[in-house]
Structure formats: structure tokens, C-alpha cells
Amino acid sequence: MERQVPEPTTRRLSLYLRVLADMEAGEVETTSSEQIARRCNLNPAQVRKDLAHFGGFGIRGVGYDVAGLRQAVAGILGLDRERPVLIVGAGNLGSALADYPGFNTGGFRIVALLDIDPAKIGTRTRRGAPVCPLEQLEDLVAKHGVEMAIIAVPAPAAPEVVDRLVAAGIRTVLNFAPVRPVVPDGVHVRHVDLKVELESLSFFLAEDEGDGEEEEDA
Amino acid sequence: MERQVPEPTTRRLSLYLRVLADMEAGEVETTSSEQIARRCNLNPAQVRKDLAHFGGFGIRGVGYDVAGLRQAVAGILGLDRERPVLIVGAGNLGSALADYPGFNTGGFRIVALLDIDPAKIGTRTRRGAPVCPLEQLEDLVAKHGVEMAIIAVPAPAAPEVVDRLVAAGIRTVLNFAPVRPVVPDGVHVRHVDLKVELESLSFFLAEDEGDGEEEEDA
DNA sequence: ATTTGTGAACGCATTCACAGCT
DNA sequence: AGCTGTGAATGCGTTCACAAAT
């Protein structure tokens, strides 16, 4: 019954938030859909339509109040409160993500990393996040009220990890494992498939190379 | 003049390749669009339409030869040759990406990482990729015939890095920096914006929380 | 004069449904 | 009988274009 917000819109809101924060830091008081759009490589109508899902934030003939809109967008994205995050997998990638600046600011806080490797357990990342045994998954979720998790485990382990996370109460998952586990309704998974990104880029190179076989119009 | 291939198709081809490689490893000889689709959470017609952009690979009434189709898809994606890759930025993320298994198999090879931090230059990642001074960018591109680069530098440095890469002859970029540099036609950039992914996931949590303001139908 | 908010038009990708092979 | 390949239909997001507001 709630108005349905397209996924591309939710992604762009995050972009808007970034440029608005930039503007605010740069002492800009007022802006327009055109300025925002230009800095995101988008169409101004796109910006207005995205915002229109949530109400009228601008003044016709004038534009948007930077600080006010920034706060509004942060609220829409639920970034006006603390968001504890759990990372499963303390390998190269998991550890790098734990220290990633964007995952430790603007509402997010990496609570801990989970792993099964005894050598890693008990250590901490550079930023201080502890590496805990996987068994503590359920306890940590409950204790910190965690609703977001990041998966950075090898592909074979991922499906089971997802199941455990969901059973523990996690409702959003950022998945770096090269598999697409199925989750129940109400749980949202976003896949970051690094190999897919690189391979699909390679396609453009192959296209230009002609690939060896050039049989077209006679 | 060439038939235009939708970007979503190129991404899915990479998924198909993975599934087909799995099947081949599992001694499966023949498959169908339905089997492939199920393992990718897709519609069978989608699989067939994607493949149809490049020709008829199947046999009606029978299906697809796993090994043959895998090889064909690898060829389409240009993964039947070596693809040297350069990573710019040897921080946490860049280093993790350099050691990422998917970036060192199936055609890809991380040639080197580039950085400006003297403390990092001269070191090597666990897998053995050397960290070189940024000044060597152009030389390394030329020497190894690099056409793909990965950007893992802080946001402010990214636009200039992209310009240099493009000037040096790079034609595909996988960008992890939270900015969207504009590039000339013929250069392809794929953005992996980790903060956007996490923030847009947070939206779903906010949605369910009601956000404080619940003024709807009277 | 300027810029928002939005219904209408457009374009594109996904899905359907069936004809065509094996 | 079974599965592919594909034109037609559908659905969805983007862009246009303009009325409304300051």
C-alpha cells in the first residue's frame, strides 16, 4: 500500500546525499535539481522525480535548501541513527571493508568481523574492529541490534552464512561472495560481484578486437 | 552498425560463464536455458535472448553443450586471452583487490599496483604483485599492453588518475572511488560505489521503521 | 524570470508464447 | 516430445514538456 520506490532511486538518493554534504561543506546554501544532476551525470527531471517520491522539498523558482535537503535525504535513507554492521569473513577483502572509511561514518559502525580461522580470532583490524568466532554470530546480532551484514566469505560458505544471518534477524545483506543465495521476502540482498564487473568490462575490449570472426553483411 | 548488446546482458554472460564452468567441473555434458536460468535466478527466455545476440549455440529439443557454450561465452567476453590489469592505489582496498582470486584467474592478471606512498613502493602483495611508483603508470601500460585498470584511490585523486589512465591508452576502468569521472567515448567505466550500496540498503530498514512520520490516508 | 512538481511520451529490457528443429 | 530461437506484448524507468508557484 505504501508507494513503491524503485531501486535505482534509492541508489541515487545516496549520491544526492554525497553531493549535498559536499555543498554544505562548501558553504553553499541553496541549490537546484540542475546543479545536483550535473554533479551526478543525471537528468534534472530525474532528480526531481526521485525526490517527489517522498514529498516536496523545494521552492518553485528558487530551488532547494542544501542543509534541509541533506537532512531530509539522510532521514529517508535511515542514516539519522546508528547502524551497526557485522562483517562475515575476515580475509583480505573483509578486513579491507572493515577499515573502509565509508563503512565507519555517516551512521554506519562495523561492530565486528566473524571468521572460523583460529589464527584470526582475537585480532583487530587497523581501525579496531575485533575478529570474533563465527559461533558468536547470533549473540552479536542480538546484543548490538544488528540489522545489516556484509558477506566476504568464499563462495561455498556463503549460502549457509546467509541462512544463519537471516535466522538471526538480519534484514539487509551486502554480498561480496560470487553466489546469489535466495532469501525470504523482506530480506534485501545487494550483490557486489567483482568478477562480473571485470569480465563484463572485458567484453568491450573483445568487441573492439573483432574476436577473430568477422562475417557480416556481404 | 554492429548489433548493440545491452549492458545487463554483458553482466549476465559473466554469470553464465560461472555456471557453465561449475557444470563442466561437475562433469555435466549438456544443459538447458532452464537449468542455467534457475542457477542465476533468471527467466529461461532471458538466457536464450542473451545468447541470441551472438548466434545460435543450442540444439532445439536438446539444449546446449556445456563445454562448447562455456568456451563460446568466454570468447564473447574476451577471456580467451591474457588480460593484464593495473591497480591504482595500494591501500587497504587496492591491496585486497590485488589478491582477490577472481582477479588473478580466468584471463586476468594483476600486473602491478601503483601508489605515491614511498613506504609502500617496492613491497609486494601476498600474491606477489609489485607496488610501483605512480610515475610508472604510462610505462607499465605500454610495456604490458594494459587495457584494464582498477581505481582504488581516495576520491580527490580519482579524476586525475582516470585522465592519466585514459591518456595512456586504458579503455576499461573499474572504479572504486566515490566519484564519477567523465570519460571520452570508447572508454568504459564501471562504478563500484560501496557507500551507495550500503546506504541504499539502509533505506529498506528506514522504510520499515516508519521513520517517525506516519501521515497517510485519513 | 526562474525552478519545481508531474502527467504524458518514450525507450529499453524482461517476459510471454509459439513456430521451428531435432 | 522437448527445447531453442524470436516476434509480440508487457512492464518499468527515464526524459520531455508544461502548468504551478514564487
Side-chain angles (χ1 to χ4, degrees), chain A residues 157-203:
Chain A
E160 195 193 315
V161 167
V162 171
D163 288 345
R164 275 185 74 175
L165 287 168
V166 170
I170 292 290
R171 310 223 328 283
T172 57
V173 176
L174 186 52
N175 174 42
F176 288 84
V179 286
R180 317 254 155 156
V182 180
V183 294
D185 277 7
V187 179
H188 299 268
V189 183
R190 195 134 299 172
H191 299 285
V192 178
D193 200 322
L194 300 175
K195 184 124 194 176
V196 166
E197 301 299 332
L198 204 57
E199 286 188 347
S200 60
L201 274 174
S202 171
F203 168 80

Side-chain angles (χ1 to χ4, degrees), chain A residues 2 77 171 190 200 208, chain B residues 77 171 190 200 202 208 216:
Chain A
E2 271 278 317
L77 290 173
R171 310 223 328 283
R190 195 134 299 172
S200 60
D208 297 353
Chain B
L77 289 172
R171 307 219 332 281
R190 195 134 297 173
S200 60
S202 171
D208 297 352
E216 322 238 319

Side-chain angles (χ1 to χ4, degrees), chain A residues 103-121:
Chain A
F103 286 2
N104 292 278
T105 54
F108 301 114
R109 196 184 93 244
I110 304 295
V111 170
L113 294 83
L114 300 174
D115 208 299
I116 52 168
D117 180 356
K120 286 173 188 149
I121 292 164

Side-chain angles (χ1 to χ4, degrees), chain A residues 3-15:
Chain A
R3 61 275 194 247
Q4 187 75 326
V5 181
E7 191 197 286
T9 294
T10 65
R11 276 227 188 63
R12 284 189 298 265
L13 285 174
S14 171
L15 284 183

Side-chain angles (χ1 to χ4, degrees), chain B residues 31-53:
Chain B
T31 189
S32 64
S33 61
E34 205 208 317
Q35 285 180 37
I36 297 171
R38 190 160 11 150
R39 296 185 52 167
C40 298
N41 290 325
L42 295 170
N43 184 304
Q46 180 84 83
V47 176
R48 296 198 295 275
K49 191 138 268 187
D50 283 337
L51 295 175
H53 283 101

Side-chain angles (χ1 to χ4, degrees), chain A residues 93 153 155 175-180 191-204, chain B residues 7-22 70 73-74 77-83 85 96-110 127 148-150 172-176 190-192 194:
Chain A
L93 189 57
V153 300
N175 174 42
F176 288 84
V179 286
R180 317 254 155 156
H191 299 285
V192 178
D193 200 322
L194 300 175
K195 184 124 194 176
V196 166
E197 301 299 332
L198 204 57
E199 286 188 347
S200 60
L201 274 174
S202 171
F203 168 80
F204 294 109
Chain B
E7 192 198 286
T9 294
T10 64
R11 276 229 189 62
R12 284 190 297 264
L13 285 173
S14 172
L15 283 183
Y16 304 158
L17 181 62
R18 181 182 293 159
V19 170
L20 290 164
D22 275 2
R70 192 201 57 73
V73 174
L77 289 172
L79 300 171
D80 47 0
R81 42 162 89 31
E82 263 245 331
R83 295 276 174 210
V85 179
L97 295 173
D99 286 336
Y100 187 70
F103 287 2
N104 291 278
T105 54
F108 301 114
R109 196 184 93 244
I110 304 294
R127 275 187 120 92
M148 312 188 80
I150 297 172
T172 58
V173 175
L174 185 52
N175 173 42
F176 288 84
R190 195 134 297 173
H191 300 284
V192 178
L194 300 175

